[in-house]
Amino acid sequence: MRCRKCGEKAAINMRHHRLALCKEHYLDWFIAQTERFIQKYKMFTHQERILVAVSGGKDSLALWDVLHRLEYQADGLYLGLGIDEGVNYSDESRQMCEIFAAERSLTLHTIDIQENYGNSIPGIVEKLHRVQKKPCSVCGLAKRHELNRIAHEQGYDALVTGHNLDDEVAVLFANTLNWSAEHLVRQEPVLPGTSGFTRKAKPFCRFYERETAAYALLRNIEYIYEECPYSSGSTTLAYKEMWNQLENQKPGTKLNYYLSFIHAKEKGLFAWTQAEKLQGLNVCPGCGQPTTSAGLCTFCRTVQQAAAV
Ligand code: AMP
Ligand code: FES
Ligand code: ZN
Ligand code: ZN
């Protein structure tokens, strides 16, 4: 296989785009595509301050690298969740982020859940349920809350995450299995900010996981190869495997599924109703973030309940 641009040996072949590229042209293509997605979906501008949520994995570190090369004002934020499971998962992923930032003289904020709230994520779950239970849903809740809190407190214009096409397809699939309108409405490449919520963007939402991995590898970015130890056996992983089979049979299936959804939304499908738009949010008396609850938001309630055990 030869590079379409220069005829050298190809480093990657993207069957869904009928495009093979050598290392140098792939790295250029990947950066140019990211810039194209940022512009197309009006995610953010060079004048704005961006906060990149970095997990130490390939996607988010590749994203920070690309934004830095495109000369966006992008700082990083790492959340210490306190996940160990015998593999030191959180410590190692924090180190990856710290090394990445130090090598490029970039600003990295780190927030530790245990230091701030008295318990790690698995600790909260253990206290609340007193049985071995996966912490993934509490973890997701804490990530959403803390990423938004820091972005808002520090006055960033946009919060960006490394979600790739495979992530988006798995979530979209889960949401279409039960036609969860509320979630389908909110699944967007960019979610505008509202009072109390910072704008959220996913510049890699159109890249296959294989493509972000190729970028990180070809760029020699050091990242944590292991997935979160709690992710094995998850429904999301099962959906991803299923979609890989469909993709193998017909290249482009994932991209088509996701882009058709985005196009349908652009035409007005799965939009907020007028009543939903007008529905007011309350302010959490604990943290000040907007919430649909009448009292404390779900995050504050969870943290408080665990502290009381
Ligand atoms: P995940 O929810 O693990 O699939 O990760 C999706 C995205 O969330 C990543 O690409 C990161 O941008 C962000 N993220 C995940 N874990 C963390 C973390 N511990 N700290 C900061 N950002 C994170
Ligand atoms: Fe949160 Fe695995 S439980 S990353
Ligand atoms: Zn080439
Ligand atoms: Zn709260």
Side-chain angles (χ1 to χ4, degrees), residues 260-280:
S260 304
F261 168 67
I262 298 297
H263 290 153
K265 291 192 84 169
E266 283 164 1
K267 288 186 184 153
L269 213 66
F270 307 117
W272 296 110
T273 62
Q274 200 55 22
E276 283 165 337
K277 266 191 205 162
L278 294 174
Q279 195 185 29

Side-chain angles (χ1 to χ4, degrees), residues 53-245:
V54 282
S55 64
K58 62 183 186 320
D59 302 293
S60 48
L61 289 183
L63 176 58
W64 202 6
D65 178 274
V66 172
L67 295 183
H68 176 51
R69 284 169 194 275
L70 287 168
E71 298 184 349
Y72 282 103
Q73 304 178 51
D75 295 344
L77 167 60
Y78 173 80
L79 278 185
L81 305 160
I83 295 172
D84 186 320
E85 281 292 281
V87 292
N88 235 351
Y89 180 73
S90 284
D91 283 348
E92 254 189 53
S93 45
R94 194 191 65 234
Q95 275 171 24
M96 293 296 176
C97 298
E98 285 173 350
I99 294 169
F100 181 96
E103 282 177 355
R104 294 159 180 81
S105 305
L106 295 172
T107 302
L108 174 71
H109 306 273
T110 56
I111 293 289
D112 191 85
I113 295 287
Q114 177 139 20
E115 266 171 34
N116 279 266
Y117 300 101
N119 287 297
S120 66
I121 295 295
I124 293 176
V125 174
E126 204 179 297
K127 286 204 169 158
L128 291 184
H129 299 282
R130 296 176 194 207
V131 283
Q132 284 282 318
K133 198 172 176 276
K134 285 208 177 197
C136 305
S137 63
V138 172
C139 176
L141 176 72
K143 279 184 200 163
R144 281 192 298 280
H145 188 275
E146 291 299 279
L147 295 179
N148 184 62
R149 178 173 72 83
I150 303 301
H152 192 64
E153 280 178 8
Q154 307 265 337
Y156 284 95
D157 298 294
L159 170 67
V160 304
T161 51
H163 291 97
N164 59 40
L165 179 68
D166 295 51
D167 298 325
E168 293 301 296
V169 163
V171 170
L172 177 58
F173 183 63
N175 290 336
T176 48
L177 279 182
N178 53 6
W179 293 107
S180 171
E182 183 197 339
H183 291 108
L184 290 167
V185 163
R186 294 176 52 83
Q187 190 172 2
E188 296 271 356
V190 58
L191 202 60
T194 51
S195 74
F197 285 126
T198 302
R199 184 189 330 148
K200 289 196 185 109
K202 297 180 262 198
F204 281 0
C205 63
R206 290 175 58 160
F207 284 128
Y208 282 73
E209 181 176 357
R210 202 177 141 250
E211 294 165 359
T212 59
Y215 182 86
L217 285 172
L218 294 173
R219 188 62 89 195
N220 289 324
I221 295 172
E222 259 196 85
Y223 63 88
I224 182 158
Y225 291 100
E226 289 81 30
E227 295 282 335
C228 166
Y230 293 111
S231 69
S232 76
S234 71
T235 342
T236 307
L237 269 191
Y239 293 158
K240 284 184 174 175
E241 278 165 22
M242 193 203 80
W243 276 93
N244 283 340
Q245 286 180 17

Side-chain angles (χ1 to χ4, degrees), residues 1-14 20-31 69 211 214-221:
M1 196 69 70
R2 297 274 146 197
C3 170
R4 184 196 285 178
K5 295 261 165 76
C6 67
E8 289 293 312
K9 191 171 173 290
I12 184 167
N13 178 26
M14 293 170 283
L21 293 170
C22 69
K23 173 178 169 180
E24 184 197 332
H25 285 120
Y26 180 69
L27 294 174
D28 289 351
W29 175 85
F30 190 90
I31 292 179
R69 284 169 194 275
E211 294 165 359
Y215 182 86
L217 285 172
L218 294 173
R219 188 62 89 195
N220 289 324
I221 295 172

